[in-house]
Amino acid sequence: MDGECKVLIVGSIAIDDIETPFAKRKGVLGGAATYSSCAASHFAPTAIVGVVGDDFPPEHMELFQSRGIDTEGLQVVPGPTFRWECVYHANMQSRDTLSTKLGVFEEFSPRIPEKLRRCPFVLLGNIHPDLQRHVLAQLEDPLVIAADTMNFWIRGAAESLAELIRQVNLLFLNDEEARELTGEANLTRAADRIHEMGPRMVMTKRGEHGATLHFDGEVCFIPPYPARVVRDPTGAGDTFAGGMIGRLASGGVVNRRSLRDAALCGTALASFSIEEFGPEHVARVSRTQLDERLAAIQSTVQDE
Amino acid sequence: MDGECKVLIVGSIAIDDIETPFAKRKGVLGGAATYSSCAASHFAPTAIVGVVGDDFPPEHMELFQSRGIDTEGLQVVPGPTFRWECVYHANMQSRDTLSTKLGVFEEFSPRIPEKLRRCPFVLLGNIHPDLQRHVLAQLEDPLVIAADTMNFWIRGAAESLAELIRQVNLLFLNDEEARELTGEANLTRAADRIHEMGPRMVMTKRGEHGATLHFDGEVCFIPPYPARVVRDPTGAGDTFAGGMIGRLASGGVVNRRSLRDAALCGTALASFSIEEFGPEHVARVSRTQLDERLAAIQSTVQDE
């Protein structure tokens, strides 16, 4: 993609070893920012900010280039790239992390290149809320500040996370995280509480059951794609978030209609992501394939 | 309601003691057939077939009468009514049964009154599949034979259940039951397998996440109502099924559009059911309240 970047994505870039009930793969390109930027780049000029080690394979770097993703903010530093190893349970709904080796990611301090500081659409992947806030401090008044988080920070960095959430206008989290963050068992009331904490838009991800967007007190239900082939769920949530922010950026307008459309695009890309290991499958999706998938998802909530 | 019954509902009628994180209630009218028939009666003339003991309180019997539900097939026999005692966990998603006293339900053998044997819409509540098949043997070619089941029969009466499922054209079950019945972790593939076992229509209930209808290989996603007040989830699934079958019966036509409309009506009634203990709240819902709730559910999957 040419032109000024519309979407800035900051987060982890990793190399994963993944075992599912179907297969075992080593050295898969991973990390939240990887999946998100591959997805966003389908819709709008996208930049990635992150860090990898000097062991990062050139073919992985080429994937970003093939998608036209701006990598000026992707630091390559001496040392090993972040590595993560996990095994999925038979139900594919839950997984165990076998090892996390942060490598160069341990000392990651995101520096946003000058030219990216006015990006209107920003997605802060799931990293320490201190780092997410450090990124925001470098930016000039983005239109949409989206962030993802996880239980680990809800438990371990609650104050910093609360401060981040005050500054964010689109928060992504899954149903269990929404419950844990708010102490509300009811997901609708949990989203109400999160609205009160700051974000005008709250996207509660429900895994195989779809997602719910709360926007200015209204509720949008985003149906799931009725997938039959799920080989690897890794990165599905990041693909969803990246696809959504990219699509929003392509239109530039934030309202109920554009948010719903963007979330359906995110769902469509995530439905490709789970069909294969790694982000390459999403990277290769054609506009025709994407449109067909979108129509299939829409049709599940329509009469014809 | 006047005229010939369109909907026949067979199943349990009980008296429940229920504890939730919000309140504890004793002697609540319960049972699957109770909730289902109260819901169905909003749309079409409905008959209930079941059994209660001679201790069954008159005010409970009056509820059926107030809804115009035909009770000719409701046997009153000497002995205690089926009693069930349960406590919900803090998340309201799971519960423990503290006691089950079958009473007169233990010897229940459903006898369908002559005038009900040609009912076109039949809902077989969750009872032993032998009994569900015994009901079917008494009927004359119903248009829709719907049935609910549970893990207990999947494990304990697999052969009889398989035979029942061959005869049913609309099967209700929840996500975990669909997985257990088919051995498929993937819910879409699980529904495919159930199609192959017989039913043309498979409704997979996902609790707070809505439901999915598989109909002739097509998938309809039925969104949940974004409830904020959940006092007692007991009977929500039965209310959903009863509302759906009643609404289908009122139109008399079975196609994708009527099934989706009927499932949304079932969702709307179930969303009232969970707001209070017992079926009385659903029994009292006005057409205006129902239409407002339906519009609210529809709006969650529409642009405006």
Side-chain angles (χ1 to χ4, degrees):
Chain A
M1 300 234 185
D2 293 334
E4 213 168 286
C5 279
K6 289 277 175 37
V7 180
L8 169 64
I9 292 172
V10 185
S12 61
I13 301 162
I15 296 174
D16 298 339
D17 294 341
I18 299 168
E19 184 175 346
T20 76
F22 303 102
K24 191 169 178 172
R25 295 285 170 83
K26 285 177 177 286
V28 178
L29 176 57
T34 302
Y35 283 98
S36 293
S37 61
C38 281
S41 68
H42 275 279
F43 303 107
T46 298
I48 188 169
V49 168
V51 65
V52 296
D54 49 15
D55 59 349
F56 195 67
E59 66 268 26
H60 288 346
M61 202 62 93
E62 282 159 19
L63 181 75
F64 295 123
Q65 282 146 11
S66 77
R67 294 290 326 149
I69 295 166
D70 185 306
T71 55
E72 192 183 314
L74 203 175
Q75 307 163 36
V76 182
V77 302
T81 300
F82 180 13
R83 295 195 74 112
W84 180 69
E85 193 183 355
C86 93
V87 58
Y88 281 86
H89 301 169
N91 64 10
M92 296 288 263
Q93 305 299 312
S94 50
R95 66 189 181 198
D96 292 324
T97 291
L98 301 184
S99 73
T100 301
K101 293 175 185 155
L102 293 174
V104 298
F105 193 63
E106 190 157 15
E107 300 293 321
F108 178 48
S109 177
R111 281 191 309 274
I112 310 303
E114 182 63 36
K115 69 171 189 187
L116 298 177
R117 295 186 176 188
R118 291 183 176 181
C119 247
F121 291 81
V122 178
L123 173 59
L124 305 170
N126 165 36
I127 52 177
H128 195 298
D130 284 354
L131 293 184
Q132 292 173 312
R133 290 162 61 199
H134 176 63
V135 171
L136 288 186
Q138 299 172 61
L139 302 180
E140 292 178 27
D141 202 24
L143 178 63
V144 170
I145 303 168
D148 191 13
T149 191
M150 71 183 293
N151 292 16
F152 189 69
W153 311 121
I154 294 171
R155 287 169 207 163
E159 279 185 38
S160 180
L161 181 60
E163 182 50 40
L164 171 80
I165 290 174
R166 264 190 287 280
Q167 300 177 53
V168 158
N169 49 23
L170 169 54
L171 186 67
F172 288 92
L173 72 184
N174 72 32
D175 43 6
E176 289 316 311
E177 291 158 0
R179 291 188 168 109
E180 187 160 346
L181 178 62
T182 62
E184 282 280 2
N186 178 288
L187 288 177
T188 308
R189 281 214 305 272
D192 291 343
R193 291 298 88 74
I194 297 169
H195 268 313
E196 291 162 11
M197 295 166 76
R200 193 181 167 200
M201 300 168 270
V202 180
M203 180 63 88
T204 311
K205 297 176 286 179
R206 298 168 181 231
E208 63 178 334
H209 305 301
T212 317
L213 174 69
H214 290 246
F215 171 60
D216 284 354
E218 279 190 66
V219 180
C220 253
F221 200 86
I222 310 301
Y225 175 69
R228 289 181 167 88
V229 177
V230 183
R231 289 205 185 82
D232 176 18
T234 308
D238 303 311
T239 303
F240 172 70
M244 181 172 175
I245 202 89
R247 178 72 168 202
L248 266 186
S250 73
V253 175
V254 176
N255 57 32
R256 184 190 162 102
R257 182 183 286 267
S258 69
L259 285 164
R260 187 168 170 273
D261 164 69
L264 290 169
C265 287
T267 300
L269 284 176
S271 77
F272 287 107
S273 181
I274 60 180
E275 290 177 351
E276 303 288 352
F277 288 76
E280 291 83 1
H281 187 51
V282 163
R284 278 193 306 264
V285 163
S286 71
R287 196 51 180 251
T288 306
Q289 288 174 303
L290 182 60
D291 286 345
E292 282 170 6
R293 186 71 46 107
L294 262 176
I297 296 165
Q298 281 274 28
S299 78
T300 66
V301 293
Q302 288 169 340
D303 275 332
E304 314 299 336
Chain B
M1 299 232 183
D2 295 332
E4 213 168 287
C5 280
K6 290 275 174 43
V7 180
L8 170 63
I9 292 173
V10 184
S12 61
I13 301 162
I15 296 174
D16 297 340
D17 295 342
I18 299 168
E19 184 175 347
T20 76
F22 303 103
K24 190 170 178 170
R25 293 286 170 84
K26 283 177 178 288
V28 178
L29 176 57
T34 302
Y35 283 98
S36 293
S37 61
C38 281
S41 68
H42 275 279
F43 303 107
T46 298
I48 188 170
V49 168
V51 65
V52 296
D54 49 15
D55 59 348
F56 194 68
E59 65 267 28
H60 288 346
M61 202 62 93
E62 282 159 19
L63 182 74
F64 294 124
Q65 282 144 14
S66 77
R67 293 294 324 150
I69 295 166
D70 185 305
T71 55
E72 192 182 314
L74 203 175
Q75 308 163 35
V76 183
V77 302
T81 300
F82 180 13
R83 294 196 74 109
W84 180 69
E85 194 183 355
C86 92
V87 57
Y88 282 86
H89 301 167
N91 64 10
M92 296 289 262
Q93 305 300 314
S94 50
R95 66 190 181 197
D96 290 325
T97 291
L98 301 183
S99 73
T100 302
K101 293 175 185 154
L102 292 175
V104 299
F105 192 63
E106 190 157 13
E107 300 293 320
F108 178 48
S109 177
R111 281 192 307 273
I112 310 303
E114 182 61 37
K115 69 172 189 186
L116 298 176
R117 295 184 177 189
R118 290 183 176 181
C119 247
F121 291 81
V122 178
L123 174 58
L124 305 170
N126 164 36
I127 51 177
H128 195 296
D130 285 352
L131 293 184
Q132 293 173 312
R133 289 162 60 199
H134 176 63
V135 171
L136 288 186
Q138 299 172 60
L139 303 180
E140 292 178 27
D141 202 23
L143 178 63
V144 170
I145 302 169
D148 192 12
T149 193
M150 71 183 293
N151 292 17
F152 189 68
W153 310 122
I154 295 171
R155 288 169 206 163
E159 279 185 36
S160 180
L161 182 61
E163 182 50 41
L164 172 81
I165 290 173
R166 265 191 286 279
Q167 300 177 52
V168 158
N169 48 24
L170 170 53
L171 187 67
F172 288 93
L173 72 184
N174 71 32
D175 44 6
E176 288 317 311
E177 290 158 359
R179 291 188 168 110
E180 188 161 345
L181 178 63
T182 61
E184 281 280 2
N186 178 290
L187 288 178
T188 308
R189 280 213 305 269
D192 291 342
R193 291 298 88 73
I194 297 169
H195 269 314
E196 291 162 11
M197 296 166 75
R200 193 180 166 200
M201 301 168 269
V202 180
M203 181 64 88
T204 310
K205 298 177 287 181
R206 299 169 180 232
E208 63 178 336
H209 304 302
T212 318
L213 174 69
H214 290 246
F215 172 59
D216 285 352
E218 280 190 66
V219 180
C220 252
F221 199 86
I222 310 300
Y225 175 69
R228 288 182 167 87
V229 177
V230 183
R231 289 204 185 83
D232 175 17
T234 307
D238 303 311
T239 303
F240 172 70
M244 182 172 175
I245 202 92
R247 178 72 168 201
L248 265 187
S250 74
V253 175
V254 177
N255 57 33
R256 184 189 161 103
R257 180 182 288 265
S258 69
L259 285 165
R260 187 168 171 274
D261 164 70
L264 290 169
C265 286
T267 299
L269 284 176
S271 78
F272 287 106
S273 181
I274 61 180
E275 289 177 352
E276 302 288 352
F277 287 77
E280 291 82 0
H281 188 51
V282 163
R284 278 193 307 266
V285 163
S286 71
R287 196 53 180 250
T288 307
Q289 289 174 303
L290 183 60
D291 286 345
E292 283 170 8
R293 187 69 48 102
L294 261 176
I297 295 165
Q298 281 274 28
S299 78
T300 65
V301 292
Q302 289 169 340
D303 274 332
E304 313 300 337

